[in-house]
Each structure stands twice: as structure tokens, then as C-alpha cells.
Amino acid sequence: MSEDNKKLIDQVAQAILPKLKGLSEKNAKKVLNETTKSVSSIVKKYSKLIAEQEKEAAKSKEKAAKAAAKKAEKDAKKKSKESKKVAKAKLLASLIAKEKPAAPAAAKKTTTAKAPAAKAPAKPKARAPKAKK
């Protein structure tokens, strides 16, 4: 038995035994033995229950930690997926942005060079309706 259990047994016995007065020496010894046995049994059960409670608390704490870790992992995966999408979108945007400046730059070269004056767009020729067969 641990020191704490022995101290608890003594404390409980000291609280109970003074209440039991008026016994003969023989009967007092019997009551003392029975009280000590009973109190030690109670203290053992008490200690066992306390240990079980601590285990349960540790289990629930561990379970909560696992759940938090799982949630954090799930969030990390979600952020990773989103960041990949953003990176892909940025890459696509940068490719599109590179193409756009190239086209206007070519157009500017032709207009800034001494080219003949731009003609008005030609009017489309009127089509004759097709004859039905």
C-alpha cells in the first residue's frame, strides 16, 4: 500500500473510532480490526476509482488531441489544394498577360512606321439571291 493510502486509512479510522465508545477491551479490539479492514478496503476502492478517472480523462484528452490533429491536417490539405489552384490561376494569368502585350506592340510598330494611310474597310459586295431549283 502506498503512503498516501496508509495516511488516508489512519485519518478515516481516527474519525470513526472515537464514535464507538463503551465497548469492552475484547470487543474494542474486534471492532478496531474490522474497522481497519473495512477502511483499507474502502481506501483501495477509492484509489482504484481515482486512477480510472485519471485514465478516462487522459483518454478523452488524447482523443480530443487526435481530433484536433486530424482537423488541422484536413485544413492543411484544403489550404494546399486552394494554394495550388491560386498558383495555377496566377500562372495562367501571367501567360495570358505575356500574350496581350506582344499583340499591341506589333500593332504599334505598323502604325508608327511610315506606312501608307489606312484605307477605309471595304464594303462587302451585295450578293445576289440564289435561284431556287
Side-chain angles (χ1 to χ4, degrees):
M1 236 185 283
S2 69
E3 289 265 336
D4 292 337
N5 285 354
K6 288 181 183 179
K7 287 181 183 178
L8 187 57
I9 290 170
D10 289 339
Q11 289 175 349
V12 173
Q14 292 300 324
I16 294 172
L17 291 175
K19 306 287 184 193
L20 307 173
K21 297 180 182 177
L23 296 174
S24 66
E25 188 175 336
K26 181 180 173 184
N27 289 337
K29 286 180 183 179
K30 287 180 182 178
V31 168
L32 180 61
N33 288 337
E34 286 296 317
T35 305
T36 306
K37 286 181 187 178
S38 298
V39 170
S40 65
S41 174
I42 291 169
V43 169
K44 285 179 186 177
K45 286 181 183 179
Y46 170 78
S47 297
K48 184 178 177 181
L49 291 173
I50 291 293
E52 285 178 9
Q53 281 181 334
E54 289 173 355
K55 283 183 183 179
E56 288 176 10
K59 277 186 181 180
S60 64
K61 201 173 194 180
E62 185 178 324
K63 190 174 183 180
K66 282 184 181 180
K70 192 172 184 180
K71 186 178 181 197
E73 184 179 332
K74 189 175 182 180
D75 289 343
K77 283 182 181 180
K78 189 175 182 182
K79 282 184 179 182
S80 173
K81 195 173 185 180
E82 287 177 7
S83 66
K84 284 181 182 178
K85 283 183 181 179
V86 169
K88 190 173 183 179
K90 283 183 180 179
L91 181 62
L92 184 62
S94 69
L95 290 173
I96 292 171
K98 286 181 183 177
E99 290 176 7
K100 284 185 178 179
K108 286 181 185 178
K109 287 182 184 177
T110 58
T111 57
T112 56
K114 294 183 180 180
K119 295 181 182 179
K123 293 184 181 179
K125 293 181 182 180
R127 292 188 177 179
K130 289 186 176 181
K132 293 184 180 179
K133 288 185 182 182

